[in-house]
Amino acid sequence: MQFFTDLLQTVIARVKPPVCIALGAPRPVSKLVAALPGMDITCFQMDLFQSNKLTQILGEDNLTAEVVAGADLWDLPKKFNTVILPCAAHTDRELKIDMVEQAWHILEPGGVAITLNEYERDTQIAKLHKKIFGKCGQTPSSEFGMAFFSTKVDEERKRRRHEVSFHAKLSGGPSMNFVCRPGMFSYGRFDAGSRALLEVAELQPGERVLDLGCGVGAVGCLATTRTGEKGRTTFIDSHLRAIALTEINVKANGVANATIIASENMEKMEVSTFEVILANPPYYGDSMVARLFIGQSRDLLKPRGRFYIVTKMPTAVVPLIFETFGSCDVIENRGYSIVTATSL
């Protein structure tokens, strides 16, 4: 957390308002805001949960900054003199590339893009800055990582969209094509856990299905090959790039009777709505997302509705299922555990 603010101090003289801080975890971003007192700052996030958490932290710390959530950084107005990109060691490489390129489009001529990187040595970031901006300066490697900076000199440039497509189908069903962009889970391929989940899930024609944490919408779209034209599928995610991609993929694959919802939780959804809920949350960490999915799902299911969640860590998930549903079954498939429960 402290690394980014220490790195920022090495390039602080280059920071001119208005400033955009693009992505980053809420607490480190709040520290960066605190290190730039009195400046006009916009904080960009793609995830509603992250953006709302950041807003909360800024308020608690009496810090002032605008928090904006969206699918793409370049949708912000071209008004910034500085864009700061805090890149943690685990930040996806493709997302770094995408954000540095998109930063160019929201900078005023003469504006500066600054990447704060936790890695002590990272030659790829310097090459990326040079490719996009022509030149790149950098601070010496230190225990805090490295800071890279470039100035925008070009007046106009076409937007270059980073995305890949992949095909997927269920046994006996039609093939579907899905567009995916950086920052998405299982970038550029259909996740094996999602396939394992769909192979186990019982789906009947005409059923209402919830794709919980839908990502690019692949699970929900493929589920419709079994629920048919009379079925209904709802897609929900807190990540706005995921929602944008789901909208594209639902339309491209001709999915009828689809509802797409951007929400950090499911509190406003109508109870007793679905026959089936399908979930593929992150496997690791503190199981916070899995706990949210499981806890909110029971009331959304119709009586005798089926809940399916895929995981690599059943010992963490099964107690949560028992706590909420009272009982469950575990089915092993493709090296994953699919935990299933039925509502009363």
Side-chain angles (χ1 to χ4, degrees):
M1 183 184 303
Q2 188 63 34
F3 286 177
F4 289 137
T5 51
D6 289 333
L7 276 175
L8 180 61
Q9 294 307 314
T10 66
V11 290
I12 195 72
R14 301 179 182 276
V15 179
K16 307 296 180 185
V19 177
C20 176
I21 302 175
L23 302 184
R27 182 63 67 179
V29 170
S30 71
K31 297 297 182 183
L32 291 174
V33 173
L36 300 169
M39 288 197 181
D40 179 2
I41 301 174
T42 298
C43 301
F44 172 80
Q45 294 285 330
M46 290 183 178
D47 192 282
L48 292 174
F49 178 84
Q50 294 286 79
S51 63
N52 291 337
K53 183 65 175 179
L54 176 56
T55 299
Q56 176 188 338
I57 292 172
L58 292 172
E60 292 171 351
D61 295 343
N62 294 315
L63 297 171
T64 300
E66 180 186 20
V67 180
V68 177
D72 286 293
L73 179 62
W74 61 27
D75 289 338
L76 296 181
K78 189 179 74 172
K79 69 170 189 178
F80 297 98
N81 287 318
T82 309
V83 177
I84 299 173
L85 300 153
C87 293
H90 62 270
T91 302
D92 178 78
R93 177 179 177 274
E94 296 299 324
L95 185 58
K96 290 181 186 178
I97 295 172
D98 191 26
M99 288 298 98
V100 173
E101 290 211 12
Q102 291 205 13
W104 188 95
H105 292 278
I106 65 170
L107 282 169
E108 291 276 18
V112 177
I114 299 173
T115 299
L116 306 177
N117 199 309
E118 279 189 334
Y119 280 117
E120 293 184 13
R121 296 184 182 279
D122 192 331
T123 57
Q124 296 302 314
I125 291 293
K127 291 179 181 178
L128 175 61
H129 270 254
K130 288 178 181 178
K131 179 180 179 181
I132 297 167
F133 291 90
K135 295 181 179 180
C136 176
Q138 63 188 58
T139 61
S141 176
S142 72
E143 60 179 312
F144 309 124
M146 299 180 70
F148 302 87
F149 47 90
S150 297
T151 301
K152 176 179 178 177
V153 294
D154 297 338
E155 286 296 330
E156 296 295 336
R157 175 181 297 177
K158 291 183 178 180
R159 293 182 175 185
R160 187 173 73 143
R161 171 66 76 185
H162 289 265
E163 63 182 22
V164 294
S165 297
F166 63 89
H167 295 273
K169 68 176 183 176
L170 300 181
S171 178
S175 178
M176 290 185 167
N177 185 65
F178 299 97
V179 174
C180 189
R181 291 171 184 164
M184 295 293 92
F185 170 67
S186 190
Y187 178 62
R189 62 185 176 84
F190 185 49
D191 173 57
S194 295
R195 182 175 295 281
L197 172 68
L198 283 168
E199 288 176 346
V200 167
E202 297 180 6
L203 299 167
Q204 303 299 327
E207 289 190 317
R208 295 177 67 109
V209 176
L210 174 63
D211 183 355
L212 182 52
C214 61
V216 302
V219 167
C221 286
L222 288 168
T224 65
T225 64
R226 293 180 178 171
T227 57
E229 293 181 358
K230 294 184 178 180
R232 287 200 62 89
T233 304
T234 297
F235 302 80
I236 187 168
D237 206 296
S238 63
H239 201 289
L240 297 186
R241 175 166 283 188
I243 291 296
L245 289 166
T246 295
E247 291 174 347
I248 292 170
N249 291 326
V250 162
K251 182 177 180 180
N253 288 295
V255 174
N257 301 325
T259 302
I260 303 170
I261 300 172
S263 175
E264 65 170 311
N265 52 51
M266 298 166 276
E267 291 179 352
K268 295 182 179 180
M269 296 186 68
E270 187 176 348
V271 300
S272 300
T273 299
F274 303 101
E275 278 87 14
V276 180
I277 295 178
L278 304 171
N280 183 4
Y283 309 134
Y284 304 104
D286 60 3
S287 299
M288 180 187 69
V289 178
R291 181 180 293 275
L292 172 66
F293 284 5
I294 294 166
Q296 297 285 349
S297 291
R298 186 184 64 180
D299 291 340
L300 298 180
L301 286 168
K302 292 181 178 181
R304 306 303 300 168
R306 287 124 31 223
F307 176 75
Y308 297 89
I309 186 169
V310 61
T311 182
K312 283 274 192 177
M313 302 180 67
T315 55
V317 171
V318 168
L320 300 176
I321 295 282
F322 267 98
E323 180 182 322
T324 303
F325 288 90
S327 65
C328 68
D329 293 310
V330 181
I331 302 170
E332 301 298 328
N333 187 31
R334 294 181 178 267
Y336 292 85
S337 297
I338 293 83
V339 188
T340 179
T342 303
S343 64
L344 297 178

